[in-house]
Amino acid sequence: MNKLTRTLCIGLATLLPLGAALAQDIKERTIKFAFQNQTGHPQAQGAAKFAELVAARSGKKISVKLFPGGTLGGDLQTVSALQGGTVEMTVLNAGILTAQVKEFAVFDFPFLFNNAQEADAVTDGEFGKGLLGKLAEKNLVGLGYWDLGFRNVTNSKRPIAKLEDFSGLKLRVIQSPIYIDLFNTLGANATPMPFPELYPALEQKAVDGQENPNTVILSSKFNEVQKYLSLTHHIYNPQALIVSRKLWDSLSADEKKLFTEAAAEATAYQRQVSRAAADTALADLKKAGMQVNDLAPAELQRIRDKIKPVIDKQTANVGEATVKALYAEIAKVRK
């Protein structure tokens, strides 16, 4: 192959993605993708990967513009914006979608999964897909589940080493009934609050503490305003990647295929990044000066026993058939 032929081949190879995009039914679009965590967090890295994939596969016809850090509002406000079509995409804790589809509350059940791999199997399987399918009637479309990790408790008062240490702590929780019931049952004063308001509330001592995965604690710099981190691992958070149905219904078949494939690839990437980050976040928080403690197995069992009425109540709210199906799916995964 001579130099000219080689140059032409390289040029053609470079143009192939653009040519493929031009051959498809893809329109010029700008997509607003809003989420709560800061740039650099695995949630933001997953969104950036999705934007990169969509741009490449659409020949740069579709631009996904990212709005991190809750700049377009809290999760509930963002979901409302998706339903109205003023924002096109978000990713958020799946349990927050309880306000739209009550069955999503099961993903906030305490001590549900032993590890992230169990969660992947359940959310990627029939059970998880079935819940996403229920969103269509609420003007939302689910594209998959990302990883946020296991939640832990921080506060500025004391280490939580036993059940009684929750007593009287004013803890910010996400705006979901099960979180409120959970921490009130443990003796804390659960305070629902949009995520963008949390750092100043901690800084001004309006609340004593909060609960989030270690990656969120680190990226949001809660270590600056919180002294104690207690590794409760009380809830694992799958995050739902969703788009506005108004957008989805306007997409061509080629565009829907592009979005679906980009979402699948971004999901695999985001999970990997998130779990790698979780391995280092704890060490970084310790280096930043947080006092970290584990809970003894006996104390964790006391907590589980204490919150059983919460699970019973939520089971009645969600529906026993749904909860039974979830536990059956988990049992199948564990075999």
PDB file of all heavy atoms in Angstrom, residues 17 21 37 45-46 56 81-83 102 105 133 135 182 189 192 202 257 315:
ATOM      1  N   PRO A  17     -17.940   6.837  11.063  1.00  0.00           N
ATOM      2  CA  PRO A  17     -19.006   7.095  12.030  1.00  0.00           C
ATOM      3  C   PRO A  17     -19.929   8.208  11.570  1.00  0.00           C
ATOM      4  O   PRO A  17     -21.144   8.126  11.722  1.00  0.00           O
ATOM      5  CB  PRO A  17     -18.231   7.482  13.302  1.00  0.00           C
ATOM      6  CG  PRO A  17     -16.894   6.841  13.133  1.00  0.00           C
ATOM      7  CD  PRO A  17     -16.606   6.927  11.660  1.00  0.00           C
ATOM      8  N   ALA A  21     -23.897   7.904  10.605  1.00  0.00           N
ATOM      9  CA  ALA A  21     -24.900   8.748  11.239  1.00  0.00           C
ATOM     10  C   ALA A  21     -25.747   9.459  10.193  1.00  0.00           C
ATOM     11  O   ALA A  21     -26.965   9.590  10.333  1.00  0.00           O
ATOM     12  CB  ALA A  21     -24.234   9.762  12.161  1.00  0.00           C
ATOM     13  N   ASN A  37     -25.170  14.935  41.730  1.00  0.00           N
ATOM     14  CA  ASN A  37     -23.785  14.902  42.200  1.00  0.00           C
ATOM     15  C   ASN A  37     -22.867  15.789  41.364  1.00  0.00           C
ATOM     16  O   ASN A  37     -23.193  16.179  40.247  1.00  0.00           O
ATOM     17  CB  ASN A  37     -23.271  13.461  42.239  1.00  0.00           C
ATOM     18  CG  ASN A  37     -23.823  12.711  43.443  1.00  0.00           C
ATOM     19  OD1 ASN A  37     -23.528  13.059  44.576  1.00  0.00           O
ATOM     20  ND2 ASN A  37     -24.648  11.707  43.197  1.00  0.00           N
ATOM     21  N   GLN A  45     -19.455  10.970  35.876  1.00  0.00           N
ATOM     22  CA  GLN A  45     -18.600  10.297  34.898  1.00  0.00           C
ATOM     23  C   GLN A  45     -19.435   9.417  33.955  1.00  0.00           C
ATOM     24  O   GLN A  45     -19.162   9.342  32.753  1.00  0.00           O
ATOM     25  CB  GLN A  45     -17.551   9.456  35.612  1.00  0.00           C
ATOM     26  CG  GLN A  45     -16.512  10.292  36.363  1.00  0.00           C
ATOM     27  CD  GLN A  45     -15.464   9.426  37.031  1.00  0.00           C
ATOM     28  OE1 GLN A  45     -14.764   8.650  36.378  1.00  0.00           O
ATOM     29  NE2 GLN A  45     -15.343   9.540  38.343  1.00  0.00           N
ATOM     30  N   GLY A  46     -20.461   8.772  34.510  1.00  0.00           N
ATOM     31  CA  GLY A  46     -21.353   7.984  33.671  1.00  0.00           C
ATOM     32  C   GLY A  46     -22.122   8.855  32.693  1.00  0.00           C
ATOM     33  O   GLY A  46     -22.288   8.507  31.517  1.00  0.00           O
ATOM     34  N   ALA A  56     -20.664  10.785  19.437  1.00  0.00           N
ATOM     35  CA  ALA A  56     -19.887  10.035  18.451  1.00  0.00           C
ATOM     36  C   ALA A  56     -20.795   9.268  17.488  1.00  0.00           C
ATOM     37  O   ALA A  56     -20.582   9.276  16.270  1.00  0.00           O
ATOM     38  CB  ALA A  56     -18.936   9.075  19.149  1.00  0.00           C
ATOM     39  N   ALA A  81     -39.735  18.104  35.815  1.00  0.00           N
ATOM     40  CA  ALA A  81     -39.302  18.764  34.580  1.00  0.00           C
ATOM     41  C   ALA A  81     -39.235  17.758  33.423  1.00  0.00           C
ATOM     42  O   ALA A  81     -39.557  18.100  32.275  1.00  0.00           O
ATOM     43  CB  ALA A  81     -37.946  19.430  34.791  1.00  0.00           C
ATOM     44  N   LEU A  82     -38.818  16.522  33.707  1.00  0.00           N
ATOM     45  CA  LEU A  82     -38.823  15.483  32.675  1.00  0.00           C
ATOM     46  C   LEU A  82     -40.249  15.199  32.216  1.00  0.00           C
ATOM     47  O   LEU A  82     -40.506  15.050  31.013  1.00  0.00           O
ATOM     48  CB  LEU A  82     -38.187  14.194  33.204  1.00  0.00           C
ATOM     49  CG  LEU A  82     -36.736  13.925  32.785  1.00  0.00           C
ATOM     50  CD1 LEU A  82     -35.784  14.869  33.478  1.00  0.00           C
ATOM     51  CD2 LEU A  82     -36.353  12.478  33.076  1.00  0.00           C
ATOM     52  N   GLN A  83     -41.151  15.105  33.156  1.00  0.00           N
ATOM     53  CA  GLN A  83     -42.537  14.809  32.806  1.00  0.00           C
ATOM     54  C   GLN A  83     -43.143  15.928  31.955  1.00  0.00           C
ATOM     55  O   GLN A  83     -43.969  15.681  31.091  1.00  0.00           O
ATOM     56  CB  GLN A  83     -43.359  14.588  34.073  1.00  0.00           C
ATOM     57  CG  GLN A  83     -42.980  13.293  34.786  1.00  0.00           C
ATOM     58  CD  GLN A  83     -43.635  13.149  36.136  1.00  0.00           C
ATOM     59  OE1 GLN A  83     -43.626  14.073  36.944  1.00  0.00           O
ATOM     60  NE2 GLN A  83     -44.231  11.988  36.387  1.00  0.00           N
ATOM     61  N   LYS A 102     -45.327   3.261  42.913  1.00  0.00           N
ATOM     62  CA  LYS A 102     -45.106   2.918  44.324  1.00  0.00           C
ATOM     63  C   LYS A 102     -44.171   1.732  44.508  1.00  0.00           C
ATOM     64  O   LYS A 102     -43.467   1.637  45.523  1.00  0.00           O
ATOM     65  CB  LYS A 102     -46.438   2.657  45.020  1.00  0.00           C
ATOM     66  CG  LYS A 102     -47.175   1.418  44.522  1.00  0.00           C
ATOM     67  CD  LYS A 102     -48.453   1.189  45.311  1.00  0.00           C
ATOM     68  CE  LYS A 102     -49.158  -0.109  44.878  1.00  0.00           C
ATOM     69  NZ  LYS A 102     -50.361  -0.379  45.683  1.00  0.00           N
ATOM     70  N   ALA A 105     -40.366   1.666  45.714  1.00  0.00           N
ATOM     71  CA  ALA A 105     -39.975   1.742  47.124  1.00  0.00           C
ATOM     72  C   ALA A 105     -39.179   0.523  47.563  1.00  0.00           C
ATOM     73  O   ALA A 105     -38.387   0.604  48.515  1.00  0.00           O
ATOM     74  CB  ALA A 105     -41.208   1.910  48.004  1.00  0.00           C
ATOM     75  N   GLY A 133     -40.660  -0.428  33.138  1.00  0.00           N
ATOM     76  CA  GLY A 133     -41.768  -0.406  32.186  1.00  0.00           C
ATOM     77  C   GLY A 133     -42.991   0.325  32.700  1.00  0.00           C
ATOM     78  O   GLY A 133     -43.781   0.872  31.914  1.00  0.00           O
ATOM     79  N   LEU A 135     -43.021   3.084  34.218  1.00  0.00           N
ATOM     80  CA  LEU A 135     -42.820   4.535  34.180  1.00  0.00           C
ATOM     81  C   LEU A 135     -43.473   5.198  32.973  1.00  0.00           C
ATOM     82  O   LEU A 135     -43.741   6.402  32.995  1.00  0.00           O
ATOM     83  CB  LEU A 135     -41.321   4.863  34.179  1.00  0.00           C
ATOM     84  CG  LEU A 135     -40.563   4.566  35.469  1.00  0.00           C
ATOM     85  CD1 LEU A 135     -39.062   4.734  35.242  1.00  0.00           C
ATOM     86  CD2 LEU A 135     -41.036   5.477  36.603  1.00  0.00           C
ATOM     87  N   LEU A 182     -37.649   4.903  58.491  1.00  0.00           N
ATOM     88  CA  LEU A 182     -36.477   4.143  58.932  1.00  0.00           C
ATOM     89  C   LEU A 182     -35.742   4.860  60.054  1.00  0.00           C
ATOM     90  O   LEU A 182     -35.503   4.288  61.127  1.00  0.00           O
ATOM     91  CB  LEU A 182     -35.545   3.905  57.741  1.00  0.00           C
ATOM     92  CG  LEU A 182     -34.157   3.340  58.051  1.00  0.00           C
ATOM     93  CD1 LEU A 182     -34.268   1.957  58.678  1.00  0.00           C
ATOM     94  CD2 LEU A 182     -33.322   3.276  56.775  1.00  0.00           C
ATOM     95  N   ASN A 189     -34.199  12.073  64.316  1.00  0.00           N
ATOM     96  CA  ASN A 189     -35.197  13.008  63.812  1.00  0.00           C
ATOM     97  C   ASN A 189     -34.952  13.154  62.312  1.00  0.00           C
ATOM     98  O   ASN A 189     -34.128  13.947  61.875  1.00  0.00           O
ATOM     99  CB  ASN A 189     -35.064  14.358  64.527  1.00  0.00           C
ATOM    100  CG  ASN A 189     -36.061  15.389  64.029  1.00  0.00           C
ATOM    101  OD1 ASN A 189     -36.927  15.084  63.204  1.00  0.00           O
ATOM    102  ND2 ASN A 189     -35.929  16.611  64.509  1.00  0.00           N
ATOM    103  N   PRO A 192     -36.385  15.307  55.798  1.00  0.00           N
ATOM    104  CA  PRO A 192     -36.277  15.254  54.333  1.00  0.00           C
ATOM    105  C   PRO A 192     -35.867  16.610  53.776  1.00  0.00           C
ATOM    106  O   PRO A 192     -36.340  17.653  54.233  1.00  0.00           O
ATOM    107  CB  PRO A 192     -37.678  14.856  53.883  1.00  0.00           C
ATOM    108  CG  PRO A 192     -38.577  15.219  55.011  1.00  0.00           C
ATOM    109  CD  PRO A 192     -37.766  15.115  56.261  1.00  0.00           C
ATOM    110  N   LEU A 202     -25.726  21.341  56.759  1.00  0.00           N
ATOM    111  CA  LEU A 202     -24.721  20.731  57.638  1.00  0.00           C
ATOM    112  C   LEU A 202     -23.766  21.785  58.186  1.00  0.00           C
ATOM    113  O   LEU A 202     -23.406  21.776  59.375  1.00  0.00           O
ATOM    114  CB  LEU A 202     -23.936  19.663  56.871  1.00  0.00           C
ATOM    115  CG  LEU A 202     -24.707  18.421  56.425  1.00  0.00           C
ATOM    116  CD1 LEU A 202     -23.867  17.584  55.457  1.00  0.00           C
ATOM    117  CD2 LEU A 202     -25.135  17.575  57.621  1.00  0.00           C
ATOM    118  N   LYS A 257     -32.583   3.476  19.081  1.00  0.00           N
ATOM    119  CA  LYS A 257     -31.556   2.429  19.117  1.00  0.00           C
ATOM    120  C   LYS A 257     -30.232   3.011  19.601  1.00  0.00           C
ATOM    121  O   LYS A 257     -29.530   2.409  20.432  1.00  0.00           O
ATOM    122  CB  LYS A 257     -31.385   1.823  17.719  1.00  0.00           C
ATOM    123  CG  LYS A 257     -30.386   0.670  17.625  1.00  0.00           C
ATOM    124  CD  LYS A 257     -30.443   0.037  16.236  1.00  0.00           C
ATOM    125  CE  LYS A 257     -29.541  -1.190  16.135  1.00  0.00           C
ATOM    126  NZ  LYS A 257     -28.107  -0.817  16.122  1.00  0.00           N
ATOM    127  N   THR A 315     -44.062  -3.008  53.017  1.00  0.00           N
ATOM    128  CA  THR A 315     -44.541  -4.154  52.243  1.00  0.00           C
ATOM    129  C   THR A 315     -46.035  -4.024  51.977  1.00  0.00           C
ATOM    130  O   THR A 315     -46.515  -4.286  50.866  1.00  0.00           O
ATOM    131  CB  THR A 315     -44.239  -5.467  52.985  1.00  0.00           C
ATOM    132  OG1 THR A 315     -42.818  -5.631  53.093  1.00  0.00           O
ATOM    133  CG2 THR A 315     -44.820  -6.669  52.254  1.00  0.00           C
TER     134      THR A 315
END
